[in-house]
Amino acid sequence: MNEPSPPAAAVRFAVIAPEEAGQRIDNYLLRQLKGVPKSRVYRILRKGEVRVNKKRVAPEYRLEEGDSVRIPPVRVAAGKEGAPLFAAKRIEQSVIYEDKGLLVVDKPAGMAVHGGSGVSHGVIEALRASRPDAPFLELVHRLDRDTSGCLMIAKKRSMLRTLHELLRGDGVDKRYLALVAGRVKGEVVDAQFSLRKNTLRGGERVVKVAPDGKPAHTRFRVVERYRGATLVEAELFTGRTHQIRVHAATLGHPLAGDPKYGDEAFNRYVAERGLKRLFLHARSLAVKLPEGEEIIVSTPLPEELEALLQRLERKG
């Protein structure tokens, strides 16, 4: 016997708060109607079922403080939100810093920061599922799916704008730990190679060094030397896609466990010693806010990465 479908919720009316102003109505609805496919959200917008101040609006309409938004009843298929709710518990346990405007999580390796490209949900969807009453939650920046560590989420639109401005300058200090192939010469190496995104057949994205690419700067500092490998700290001065991975490979020291830019022999070497992921961890963040407050957050290497280092032979 089929179970009855869950009843649709009643019409809701929401008044836009100051921190919600400025965002597009389609993005606002996607957060409010968790688990509803994007196509359905755009359909109810086109049909005029969503009203702002009793009027139809286009998807690109930007909300203003005090706007009254009519949100129609939309039935969500049973089980659609199970995955993000399951992930939500893991993410909530990974919160390492939180205040009124900012939240920092220690993102697990293997979890995307957001859904898309074959991934149904990520960190941001999981957080929204676990905090349905939160008026605003947005990614400040991104980490690759296989990278672990410090990830910032803004809880206010004003904080999001502030952090984006700081990221464009020198107001955010981001440090990563990476295990790379070979012996890095010297103690500090600067990589300043312009990078350009390329898309291959099948939609796979790769990044290449190119004179006409976007400027990119990474500073590598040696932390520890091992037989056949070096643990380095990578400091980012720009935030390009795959920047650390491509810069390290260009210097002749690709990251351990990197299937896209790595060295096959080195990857086999570390895999035989237990590595099952990319060895890249966002270890710390330091943010200098305009009001003078400084936020410093750090997280240790995950157990599986620390265990690999214990299996490697240290070299002087």
Side-chain angles (χ1 to χ4, degrees):
M1 183 175 179
N2 292 332
E3 295 183 2
S5 298
V11 171
R12 289 190 289 138
F13 289 90
V15 178
I16 301 303
E19 62 269 20
E20 297 173 311
Q23 62 185 304
R24 287 170 48 132
I25 182 64
D26 53 353
N27 293 331
Y28 174 79
L29 289 172
L30 288 168
R31 280 189 289 274
Q32 295 296 316
L33 301 173
K34 300 179 180 70
V36 177
K38 281 187 178 182
S39 58
R40 182 77 183 280
V41 170
Y42 284 101
R43 190 181 309 131
I44 62 175
L45 269 169
R46 288 195 304 270
K47 293 173 64 177
E49 294 181 45
V50 175
R51 300 287 177 118
V52 178
N53 303 326
K54 300 182 179 180
K55 298 178 181 179
R56 289 187 178 222
V57 291
E60 58 270 17
Y61 173 81
R62 294 195 176 273
L63 294 165
E64 298 180 3
E65 180 182 351
D67 277 351
S68 175
V69 181
R70 178 192 187 274
I71 303 175
V74 181
R75 182 176 285 114
V76 180
K80 285 289 186 179
E81 294 188 274
L85 285 173
F86 177 80
K89 182 177 181 180
R90 186 182 185 191
I91 289 298
E92 287 290 353
Q93 292 173 342
S94 299
V95 173
I96 55 177
Y97 175 85
E98 185 168 7
D99 61 26
K100 293 181 179 179
L102 178 64
L103 185 152
V104 181
V105 302
D106 183 1
K107 186 190 86 66
M111 180 176 284
V113 295
H114 59 75
S117 300
V119 179
S120 62
H121 67 277
V123 171
I124 193 64
E125 289 84 7
L127 273 174
R128 290 169 182 163
S130 69
R131 303 182 179 207
D133 297 326
F136 187 88
L137 289 170
E138 285 289 351
L139 292 166
V140 176
H141 60 119
R142 287 164 172 73
L143 293 177
D144 290 346
R145 183 175 181 177
D146 294 331
T147 302
S148 56
C150 297
L151 177 69
M152 294 187 289
I153 294 94
K155 297 169 62 179
K156 294 183 177 180
R157 181 163 291 276
S158 56
M159 177 61 78
L160 182 65
R161 287 194 294 263
T162 295
L163 291 172
H164 279 174
E165 185 63 31
L166 292 174
L167 284 167
R168 284 191 287 269
D170 58 359
V172 179
D173 186 315
K174 294 192 290 184
R175 307 288 177 104
Y176 294 69
L177 284 177
L179 185 72
V180 301
R183 180 183 178 87
V184 176
K185 295 181 180 179
E187 297 302 313
V188 180
V189 179
D190 275 284
Q192 298 187 60
F193 307 111
S194 296
L195 303 176
R196 185 181 65 202
K197 294 180 185 178
N198 292 271
T199 302
L200 303 181
R201 289 182 179 178
E204 181 186 13
R205 181 166 59 181
V206 297
V207 177
K208 296 182 177 180
V209 171
D212 60 346
K214 294 183 178 180
H217 181 190
T218 309
R219 179 168 293 159
F220 295 97
R221 294 183 178 86
V222 172
V223 176
E224 190 74 58
R225 300 184 192 279
Y226 300 87
R227 178 180 295 277
T230 306
L231 182 67
V232 297
E233 176 192 77
E235 179 181 1
L236 289 181
F237 295 93
T238 52
R240 310 302 179 200
T241 301
H242 298 173
Q243 178 175 319
I244 294 173
R245 298 163 65 183
V246 178
H247 275 178
T250 303
L251 291 172
H253 302 286
L255 268 61
D258 192 337
K260 188 170 291 189
Y261 308 104
D263 177 81
E264 290 186 9
F266 181 58
N267 284 346
R268 284 196 301 271
Y269 173 77
V270 290
E272 289 168 356
R273 286 154 180 78
L275 185 65
K276 298 179 181 179
R277 52 162 287 197
L278 177 71
F279 198 122
L280 183 60
H281 178 69
R283 177 169 70 170
S284 66
L285 285 166
V287 181
K288 297 179 181 178
L289 296 175
E291 298 79 10
E293 180 185 3
E294 186 171 15
I295 299 170
I296 301 175
V297 184
S298 64
T299 180
L301 274 176
E303 291 182 4
E304 69 271 18
L305 300 187
E306 188 63 51
L308 172 68
L309 296 181
Q310 298 303 317
R311 299 186 186 104
L312 298 178
E313 180 184 346
R314 283 184 168 83
K315 301 289 288 184

